[in-house]
Amino acid sequence: MLHLRLIVPADRTEAVVRGIEKTVGATHLVVLPGAARDPAGDVVMCDVAREAGDGLLGELRELGLDETGSIAVENIDLSLSKRADKAEEEAPGEGADAVLWEQLADATHEESTLSVTYLAFLVIATMIAACGVVLDNAILIVGAMAVGPEFGPLAGLCTALVRRAPRLAARSAIALLVGFAAAMVLTTGFSIAMDAVGLFGRDMLERARPNTDFIWKPDMFSFVVAVLAGIAGTLSLTSAKSGALVGVAISVTTVPAAANAAVALGYGEIEQMWGSTEQLLLNLVGIVVAGTLTLGMQKVVWGRRG
């Protein structure tokens, strides 16, 4: 269930209340006339089944509430109410499958912003992965994958393509391009510094690395895994059950590929650099294609239900 807290101009309260009352899956309606001070208006609260939430939010935005008042949405972790149970039963579909497009757009907008924190996580993850590829240590590779924040702008790009939001698409693309470029440049410098103190060496990169050779030797499995991860990651973002996102983060070879390319560039190993770059691009393209198609399918399915 979702809890909606609305600030409504007095002249639109009746229209808002009628919209909530006719929404299948809405319950626990409360109206507090004149309770709001900034902006001035009435406070309207209700609970709504997640699967009916997107339609109701769309109606509220059509009434201009996002401009003249306020729309706040919270997830309800526990609701002990027969009315709430009945509302969820009456609402079409399953709550875990429902897509809240406004929530998704808001989340991807934040996650796809090129910020200092985003850059710091991506750079650190790439440096950890650089240690992993040089030492042929799979544990460090997995750790670097988990730290990397790149799925945020990838999801933002998928959302932007489906919702035709050019600003979000540009923001996400900039975060990806600038982020990976900065991470690879700094990791190249990091690998040179590590070589200077004797912790890295060319022979460590050129030797057989059975645990990490796949990073710079892309094949069709690279694209297949990226597609599957893109589907799983998108579902984890749109679903109420989002615990799968960590698993997605450690299943795609984006950060490790960028790290191997950076280290190889530092040693002039052009073959490994190009192979790693190809691996990186395959994973990025696979995730974006799969994520966009998944969101498109969800939009079609929920549009028909609506």
Coordinates of all heavy atoms in Angstrom, one line a residue, residues 120-204:
A120 N 33.2 9.8 -7.2 CA 34.1 9.1 -6.2 C 33.9 7.6 -6.1 O 34.8 6.9 -6.1 CB 33.8 9.8 -4.8
F121 N 32.6 7.2 -6.1 CA 32.3 5.8 -6.0 C 32.8 5.1 -7.3 O 33.4 4.0 -7.2 CB 30.8 5.5 -5.9 CG 30.3 5.5 -4.4 CD1 29.5 6.5 -3.9 CD2 30.8 4.5 -3.6 CE1 29.1 6.4 -2.6 CE2 30.4 4.4 -2.3 CZ 29.5 5.4 -1.8
L122 N 32.6 5.7 -8.5 CA 33.0 5.1 -9.7 C 34.5 5.0 -9.8 O 35.1 3.9 -10.2 CB 32.5 5.8 -10.9 CG 32.6 5.2 -12.3 CD1 32.0 3.8 -12.3 CD2 31.9 6.0 -13.3
V123 N 35.2 6.0 -9.4 CA 36.7 6.0 -9.4 C 37.2 4.9 -8.4 O 38.1 4.2 -8.8 CB 37.3 7.4 -9.1 CG1 38.8 7.3 -8.8 CG2 36.9 8.4 -10.2
I124 N 36.7 4.9 -7.2 CA 37.2 3.9 -6.2 C 36.9 2.5 -6.7 O 37.7 1.6 -6.6 CB 36.5 4.2 -4.9 CG1 37.0 5.5 -4.3 CG2 36.7 3.1 -3.9 CD1 36.2 6.0 -3.1
A125 N 35.7 2.3 -7.3 CA 35.4 1.0 -7.8 C 36.3 0.5 -8.9 O 36.8 -0.6 -8.9 CB 33.9 1.0 -8.3
T126 N 36.7 1.5 -9.8 CA 37.6 1.1 -10.9 C 39.0 0.9 -10.3 O 39.7 0.0 -10.9 CB 37.6 2.3 -11.9 OG1 36.3 2.6 -12.2 CG2 38.3 1.9 -13.1
M127 N 39.4 1.6 -9.3 CA 40.7 1.3 -8.8 C 40.8 0.0 -8.0 O 41.8 -0.8 -8.1 CB 41.1 2.4 -7.8 CG 41.4 3.8 -8.5 SD 41.9 5.1 -7.4 CE 42.3 6.4 -8.5
I128 N 39.7 -0.4 -7.3 CA 39.6 -1.7 -6.7 C 39.7 -2.8 -7.8 O 40.4 -3.8 -7.6 CB 38.3 -1.8 -5.9 CG1 38.4 -0.9 -4.7 CG2 38.1 -3.3 -5.4 CD1 37.1 -0.8 -3.9
A129 N 38.9 -2.6 -8.9 CA 39.0 -3.5 -10.0 C 40.3 -3.6 -10.6 O 40.7 -4.7 -11.0 CB 37.9 -3.2 -11.0
A130 N 41.1 -2.5 -10.7 CA 42.4 -2.6 -11.2 C 43.3 -3.5 -10.4 O 44.1 -4.3 -10.9 CB 43.0 -1.1 -11.2
C131 N 43.2 -3.4 -9.1 CA 43.9 -4.3 -8.2 C 43.5 -5.7 -8.4 O 44.3 -6.7 -8.5 CB 43.7 -3.9 -6.7 SG 44.3 -2.3 -6.2
G132 N 42.2 -5.9 -8.7 CA 41.7 -7.3 -8.9 C 42.2 -7.9 -10.2 O 42.6 -9.1 -10.2
V133 N 42.3 -7.1 -11.3 CA 42.8 -7.7 -12.6 C 44.3 -7.9 -12.5 O 44.7 -8.9 -13.1 CB 42.4 -6.8 -13.8 CG1 40.9 -6.6 -13.9 CG2 43.0 -5.4 -13.6
V134 N 45.0 -7.1 -11.9 CA 46.5 -7.3 -11.8 C 46.8 -8.5 -10.9 O 47.7 -9.3 -11.2 CB 47.2 -6.0 -11.3 CG1 48.6 -6.3 -11.0 CG2 47.1 -4.9 -12.3
L135 N 46.1 -8.6 -9.8 CA 46.3 -9.8 -8.9 C 45.6 -11.0 -9.3 O 45.7 -12.1 -8.7 CB 45.9 -9.4 -7.5 CG 46.7 -8.2 -6.9 CD1 46.1 -7.8 -5.5 CD2 48.2 -8.6 -6.7
D136 N 44.7 -10.9 -10.4 CA 43.8 -12.0 -10.8 C 43.0 -12.5 -9.6 O 42.9 -13.7 -9.4 CB 44.7 -13.2 -11.4 CG 43.9 -14.2 -12.1 OD1 42.9 -13.8 -12.8 OD2 44.2 -15.4 -12.1
N137 N 42.4 -11.6 -8.9 CA 41.6 -11.9 -7.7 C 40.2 -11.6 -8.0 O 39.7 -10.5 -8.1 CB 42.1 -11.0 -6.6 CG 41.5 -11.4 -5.2 OD1 40.3 -11.6 -5.1 ND2 42.4 -11.4 -4.2
A138 N 39.4 -12.7 -8.1 CA 38.0 -12.6 -8.4 C 37.2 -11.9 -7.3 O 36.2 -11.2 -7.5 CB 37.4 -14.0 -8.6
I139 N 37.6 -12.0 -6.0 CA 36.9 -11.4 -4.9 C 37.0 -9.9 -5.0 O 36.0 -9.2 -4.8 CB 37.5 -11.8 -3.6 CG1 37.3 -13.3 -3.3 CG2 36.9 -11.0 -2.4 CD1 38.0 -13.9 -2.1
L140 N 38.1 -9.3 -5.4 CA 38.2 -7.9 -5.6 C 37.4 -7.4 -6.8 O 36.8 -6.3 -6.7 CB 39.7 -7.5 -5.8 CG 40.6 -7.6 -4.6 CD1 42.1 -7.3 -5.1 CD2 40.2 -6.7 -3.5
I141 N 37.3 -8.2 -7.8 CA 36.4 -7.9 -9.0 C 35.0 -7.8 -8.6 O 34.3 -6.8 -8.9 CB 36.6 -8.9 -10.1 CG1 38.0 -8.9 -10.6 CG2 35.6 -8.7 -11.2 CD1 38.4 -7.6 -11.3
V142 N 34.5 -8.8 -7.8 CA 33.1 -8.8 -7.3 C 32.9 -7.6 -6.4 O 31.9 -6.9 -6.5 CB 32.8 -10.1 -6.6 CG1 31.4 -10.0 -5.9 CG2 32.8 -11.3 -7.6
G143 N 33.8 -7.3 -5.5 CA 33.7 -6.1 -4.7 C 33.6 -4.8 -5.5 O 32.8 -3.9 -5.1
A144 N 34.4 -4.7 -6.5 CA 34.4 -3.5 -7.3 C 33.0 -3.4 -8.0 O 32.5 -2.2 -8.2 CB 35.5 -3.5 -8.3
M145 N 32.5 -4.5 -8.5 CA 31.2 -4.4 -9.2 C 30.1 -3.9 -8.2 O 29.2 -3.2 -8.6 CB 30.8 -5.8 -9.7 CG 31.6 -6.3 -10.9 SD 31.2 -8.1 -11.2 CE 32.1 -8.3 -12.8
A146 N 30.2 -4.4 -7.0 CA 29.2 -4.0 -6.0 C 29.3 -2.5 -5.6 O 28.3 -1.9 -5.4 CB 29.3 -4.8 -4.7
V147 N 30.5 -2.0 -5.7 CA 30.7 -0.6 -5.3 C 30.3 0.4 -6.4 O 29.8 1.5 -6.2 CB 32.2 -0.3 -4.9 CG1 32.4 1.2 -4.7 CG2 32.5 -1.1 -3.7
G148 N 30.4 -0.1 -7.7 CA 30.2 0.8 -8.8 C 28.7 1.3 -8.9 O 27.8 0.5 -8.7
P149 N 28.5 2.6 -9.1 CA 27.2 3.2 -9.1 C 26.6 3.4 -10.6 O 25.7 4.1 -10.8 CB 27.5 4.6 -8.5 CG 28.8 4.9 -9.0 CD 29.6 3.6 -9.2
E150 N 27.2 2.7 -11.5 CA 26.9 3.0 -12.9 C 25.5 2.6 -13.4 O 25.0 3.1 -14.4 CB 27.9 2.4 -13.9 CG 27.8 0.9 -14.1 CD 28.5 0.1 -13.0 OE1 28.9 0.8 -12.0 OE2 28.6 -1.1 -13.1
F151 N 24.8 1.7 -12.6 CA 23.5 1.3 -13.0 C 22.5 2.4 -12.9 O 21.5 2.4 -13.6 CB 23.0 0.1 -12.2 CG 21.8 -0.6 -12.8 CD1 22.0 -1.5 -13.8 CD2 20.5 -0.3 -12.4 CE1 20.9 -2.1 -14.4 CE2 19.4 -0.9 -12.9 CZ 19.6 -1.8 -14.0
G152 N 22.7 3.4 -12.0 CA 21.8 4.5 -11.9 C 21.6 5.3 -13.2 O 20.5 5.4 -13.7
P153 N 22.7 5.8 -13.8 CA 22.5 6.5 -15.1 C 22.1 5.6 -16.2 O 21.4 6.0 -17.1 CB 23.9 7.1 -15.4 CG 24.8 6.4 -14.5 CD 24.1 6.0 -13.3
L154 N 22.4 4.3 -16.1 CA 21.9 3.4 -17.2 C 20.4 3.2 -17.1 O 19.7 3.3 -18.1 CB 22.6 2.0 -17.0 CG 24.0 1.9 -17.4 CD1 24.6 0.5 -16.9 CD2 24.2 2.0 -18.9
A155 N 19.9 3.1 -15.8 CA 18.5 3.1 -15.6 C 17.8 4.4 -16.0 O 16.7 4.4 -16.6 CB 18.1 2.8 -14.2
G156 N 18.5 5.5 -15.8 CA 18.0 6.8 -16.2 C 17.9 6.9 -17.7 O 16.9 7.5 -18.2
L157 N 18.9 6.4 -18.4 CA 18.8 6.4 -19.9 C 17.7 5.6 -20.4 O 17.0 6.0 -21.3 CB 20.2 5.9 -20.4 CG 20.4 6.1 -21.9 CD1 20.3 7.5 -22.3 CD2 21.8 5.6 -22.3
C158 N 17.5 4.4 -19.8 CA 16.3 3.6 -20.2 C 15.0 4.3 -20.0 O 14.1 4.3 -20.9 CB 16.4 2.2 -19.5 SG 17.8 1.2 -19.8
T159 N 14.9 4.9 -18.8 CA 13.6 5.6 -18.5 C 13.4 6.7 -19.4 O 12.3 7.0 -19.9 CB 13.7 6.1 -17.0 OG1 13.9 5.0 -16.1 CG2 12.4 6.8 -16.6
A160 N 14.5 7.5 -19.7 CA 14.3 8.6 -20.6 C 13.9 8.2 -22.0 O 13.1 8.9 -22.7 CB 15.7 9.3 -20.7
L161 N 14.4 7.1 -22.5 CA 14.1 6.6 -23.9 C 12.6 6.2 -23.9 O 11.9 6.5 -24.9 CB 14.9 5.4 -24.3 CG 16.4 5.8 -24.5 CD1 17.2 4.5 -24.7 CD2 16.6 6.7 -25.7
V162 N 12.1 5.5 -22.9 CA 10.7 5.1 -22.8 C 9.8 6.3 -22.7 O 8.7 6.4 -23.3 CB 10.5 4.1 -21.7 CG1 9.0 3.7 -21.6 CG2 11.2 2.8 -22.0
R163 N 10.1 7.2 -21.8 CA 9.2 8.4 -21.5 C 9.5 9.6 -22.4 O 8.9 10.6 -22.3 CB 9.4 8.8 -20.0 CG 9.1 7.7 -19.0 CD 8.8 8.2 -17.7 NE 7.5 8.9 -17.6 CZ 7.1 9.6 -16.6 NH1 7.9 9.7 -15.5 NH2 5.9 10.1 -16.6
R164 N 10.5 9.4 -23.3 CA 10.8 10.5 -24.2 C 11.2 11.8 -23.5 O 10.6 12.8 -23.7 CB 9.7 10.7 -25.2 CG 9.4 9.5 -26.1 CD 8.2 9.8 -27.0 NE 7.9 8.6 -27.8 CZ 6.9 8.5 -28.7 NH1 6.1 9.6 -28.9 NH2 6.6 7.4 -29.3
A165 N 12.2 11.6 -22.6 CA 12.6 12.7 -21.8 C 14.0 13.1 -22.2 O 15.0 12.5 -21.6 CB 12.5 12.4 -20.3
P166 N 14.2 14.0 -23.1 CA 15.6 14.3 -23.6 C 16.5 14.8 -22.5 O 17.7 14.5 -22.5 CB 15.4 15.3 -24.7 CG 14.0 15.9 -24.4 CD 13.2 14.8 -23.8
R167 N 16.0 15.6 -21.5 CA 16.9 16.1 -20.5 C 17.5 15.0 -19.6 O 18.7 15.0 -19.3 CB 16.2 17.1 -19.6 CG 15.8 18.4 -20.4 CD 15.2 19.5 -19.4 NE 14.9 20.7 -20.1 CZ 14.4 21.8 -19.5 NH1 14.1 21.7 -18.2 NH2 14.2 22.9 -20.2
L168 N 16.6 14.1 -19.3 CA 17.1 12.9 -18.4 C 18.0 12.1 -19.2 O 19.0 11.6 -18.7 CB 15.9 12.1 -18.0 CG 16.2 10.8 -17.2 CD1 17.0 11.2 -15.9 CD2 14.9 10.1 -16.8
A169 N 17.8 11.9 -20.5 CA 18.7 11.1 -21.4 C 20.1 11.8 -21.5 O 21.1 11.1 -21.3 CB 18.1 11.0 -22.8
A170 N 20.1 13.1 -21.6 CA 21.3 13.8 -21.7 C 22.1 13.8 -20.4 O 23.3 13.5 -20.4 CB 21.1 15.3 -22.1
R171 N 21.4 13.9 -19.3 CA 22.0 13.9 -18.0 C 22.6 12.5 -17.7 O 23.7 12.4 -17.2 CB 21.0 14.2 -16.9 CG 21.6 14.3 -15.5 CD 20.5 14.5 -14.4 NE 19.9 15.8 -14.6 CZ 18.6 16.0 -15.1 NH1 17.9 14.9 -15.4 NH2 18.1 17.2 -15.2
S172 N 21.9 11.5 -18.1 CA 22.4 10.1 -17.9 C 23.6 9.8 -18.7 O 24.5 9.2 -18.3 CB 21.2 9.1 -18.1 OG 20.1 9.3 -17.3
A173 N 23.5 10.2 -20.0 CA 24.6 10.0 -20.9 C 25.9 10.7 -20.5 O 27.0 10.1 -20.5 CB 24.2 10.4 -22.3
I174 N 25.7 11.9 -20.0 CA 26.9 12.7 -19.5 C 27.5 12.0 -18.3 O 28.7 11.9 -18.1 CB 26.4 14.1 -19.2 CG1 26.1 14.9 -20.5 CG2 27.5 14.8 -18.4 CD1 25.5 16.3 -20.3
A175 N 26.6 11.5 -17.4 CA 27.1 10.9 -16.2 C 27.9 9.6 -16.5 O 28.9 9.3 -15.9 CB 25.9 10.5 -15.2
L176 N 27.4 8.9 -17.5 CA 28.1 7.7 -17.9 C 29.5 8.0 -18.6 O 30.5 7.5 -18.3 CB 27.3 6.8 -18.9 CG 26.1 6.0 -18.3 CD1 25.2 5.5 -19.4 CD2 26.7 4.9 -17.4
L177 N 29.4 8.9 -19.6 CA 30.6 9.2 -20.4 C 31.7 9.9 -19.5 O 32.8 9.5 -19.5 CB 30.2 10.1 -21.6 CG 29.3 9.4 -22.7 CD1 28.9 10.4 -23.7 CD2 30.0 8.3 -23.3
V178 N 31.3 10.9 -18.9 CA 32.2 11.7 -18.0 C 32.7 10.8 -16.9 O 33.9 10.8 -16.5 CB 31.6 13.0 -17.5 CG1 32.6 13.7 -16.6 CG2 31.3 13.9 -18.7
G179 N 31.8 10.1 -16.3 CA 32.2 9.2 -15.2 C 33.2 8.2 -15.5 O 34.2 8.0 -14.8
F180 N 32.9 7.4 -16.6 CA 33.9 6.4 -17.0 C 35.2 7.0 -17.5 O 36.3 6.4 -17.3 CB 33.3 5.4 -18.0 CG 32.5 4.3 -17.4 CD1 31.1 4.3 -17.5 CD2 33.1 3.3 -16.8 CE1 30.4 3.2 -16.9 CE2 32.5 2.2 -16.2 CZ 31.1 2.2 -16.3
A181 N 35.1 8.1 -18.2 CA 36.3 8.7 -18.7 C 37.2 9.2 -17.5 O 38.4 8.9 -17.5 CB 36.0 9.9 -19.6
A182 N 36.6 9.8 -16.6 CA 37.4 10.3 -15.4 C 37.9 9.1 -14.6 O 39.1 9.1 -14.2 CB 36.5 11.1 -14.5
A183 N 37.1 8.0 -14.4 CA 37.6 6.9 -13.7 C 38.7 6.2 -14.4 O 39.7 5.8 -13.7 CB 36.4 5.9 -13.5
M184 N 38.7 6.1 -15.7 CA 39.7 5.4 -16.4 C 41.0 6.2 -16.5 O 42.1 5.7 -16.3 CB 39.3 5.1 -17.9 CG 38.1 4.0 -17.9 SD 37.4 3.8 -19.5 CE 38.7 2.9 -20.4
V185 N 40.9 7.5 -16.6 CA 42.1 8.4 -16.6 C 42.8 8.3 -15.2 O 44.0 8.1 -15.1 CB 41.7 9.8 -16.9 CG1 42.9 10.8 -16.6 CG2 41.3 9.9 -18.4
L186 N 42.0 8.5 -14.2 CA 42.6 8.4 -12.8 C 43.1 7.0 -12.5 O 44.1 6.9 -11.8 CB 41.5 8.8 -11.8 CG 41.1 10.3 -11.8 CD1 39.9 10.6 -10.9 CD2 42.3 11.2 -11.5
T187 N 42.5 6.0 -12.9 CA 43.0 4.6 -12.7 C 44.2 4.4 -13.4 O 45.1 3.6 -13.0 CB 41.9 3.6 -13.1 OG1 40.7 3.9 -12.3 CG2 42.3 2.2 -12.7
T188 N 44.4 4.9 -14.6 CA 45.7 4.8 -15.4 C 46.8 5.5 -14.5 O 47.9 4.9 -14.4 CB 45.6 5.5 -16.7 OG1 44.5 4.9 -17.5 CG2 46.9 5.4 -17.5
G189 N 46.5 6.6 -14.0 CA 47.5 7.3 -13.1 C 47.8 6.5 -11.9 O 48.9 6.3 -11.4
F190 N 46.7 5.9 -11.3 CA 46.8 5.0 -10.1 C 47.7 3.8 -10.4 O 48.6 3.4 -9.6 CB 45.4 4.6 -9.7 CG 45.4 3.5 -8.6 CD1 45.7 3.8 -7.3 CD2 45.1 2.2 -8.9 CE1 45.7 2.8 -6.3 CE2 45.1 1.2 -8.0 CZ 45.4 1.5 -6.7
S191 N 47.5 3.2 -11.6 CA 48.3 2.0 -11.9 C 49.8 2.4 -12.2 O 50.7 1.6 -11.8 CB 47.8 1.3 -13.2 OG 47.9 2.2 -14.3
I192 N 50.0 3.5 -12.8 CA 51.4 4.0 -13.0 C 52.1 4.2 -11.6 O 53.3 3.9 -11.4 CB 51.5 5.3 -13.8 CG1 51.0 4.9 -15.2 CG2 52.9 5.9 -13.8 CD1 50.8 6.2 -16.1
A193 N 51.3 4.8 -10.7 CA 51.9 5.1 -9.3 C 52.1 3.7 -8.6 O 53.2 3.6 -7.9 CB 50.9 5.9 -8.5
M194 N 51.2 2.8 -8.7 CA 51.4 1.5 -8.1 C 52.6 0.8 -8.7 O 53.4 0.0 -8.0 CB 50.2 0.6 -8.3 CG 49.0 1.2 -7.5 SD 49.1 1.0 -5.7 CE 48.6 -0.8 -5.6
D195 N 52.9 1.0 -10.0 CA 54.0 0.4 -10.6 C 55.3 1.0 -10.1 O 56.3 0.3 -9.9 CB 53.9 0.5 -12.2 CG 55.1 -0.1 -12.9 OD1 55.1 -1.3 -13.1 OD2 56.1 0.7 -13.2
A196 N 55.3 2.3 -9.9 CA 56.4 3.0 -9.4 C 56.9 2.6 -8.0 O 58.1 2.6 -7.7 CB 56.2 4.5 -9.4
V197 N 56.0 2.1 -7.2 CA 56.3 1.7 -5.9 C 56.5 0.1 -5.8 O 56.6 -0.4 -4.7 CB 55.3 2.1 -4.8 CG1 55.2 3.6 -4.7 CG2 53.9 1.6 -5.1
G198 N 56.4 -0.5 -7.0 CA 56.6 -1.9 -7.1 C 55.5 -2.8 -6.7 O 55.6 -4.0 -6.6
L199 N 54.2 -2.3 -6.7 CA 53.1 -3.1 -6.4 C 52.4 -3.7 -7.6 O 51.7 -4.7 -7.6 CB 52.1 -2.3 -5.5 CG 52.6 -1.9 -4.1 CD1 51.5 -1.1 -3.4 CD2 52.9 -3.2 -3.3
F200 N 52.5 -3.0 -8.7 CA 52.1 -3.5 -10.0 C 53.3 -3.7 -10.9 O 54.4 -3.1 -10.7 CB 51.2 -2.4 -10.7 CG 49.8 -2.3 -10.2 CD1 49.4 -3.0 -9.1 CD2 48.8 -1.6 -10.9 CE1 48.1 -2.9 -8.6 CE2 47.5 -1.5 -10.4 CZ 47.1 -2.2 -9.3
G201 N 53.1 -4.6 -11.9 CA 54.2 -4.8 -12.8 C 53.6 -5.3 -14.2 O 52.5 -5.9 -14.2
R202 N 54.3 -5.0 -15.3 CA 53.8 -5.5 -16.6 C 53.7 -7.0 -16.7 O 52.7 -7.5 -17.3 CB 54.8 -5.0 -17.7 CG 54.4 -5.4 -19.1 CD 55.5 -5.0 -20.1 NE 55.6 -3.6 -20.2 CZ 54.8 -2.9 -21.2 NH1 54.0 -3.6 -22.0 NH2 55.0 -1.6 -21.3
D203 N 54.6 -7.7 -16.0 CA 54.5 -9.2 -16.1 C 53.2 -9.7 -15.4 O 52.7 -10.7 -15.8 CB 55.7 -9.8 -15.4 CG 55.8 -9.4 -13.9 OD1 55.7 -8.2 -13.6 OD2 56.0 -10.2 -13.0
M204 N 52.7 -8.9 -14.4 CA 51.5 -9.3 -13.7 C 50.3 -9.2 -14.7 O 49.3 -10.0 -14.6 CB 51.3 -8.5 -12.5 CG 52.4 -8.6 -11.4 SD 52.2 -7.4 -10.1 CE 50.9 -8.2 -9.2

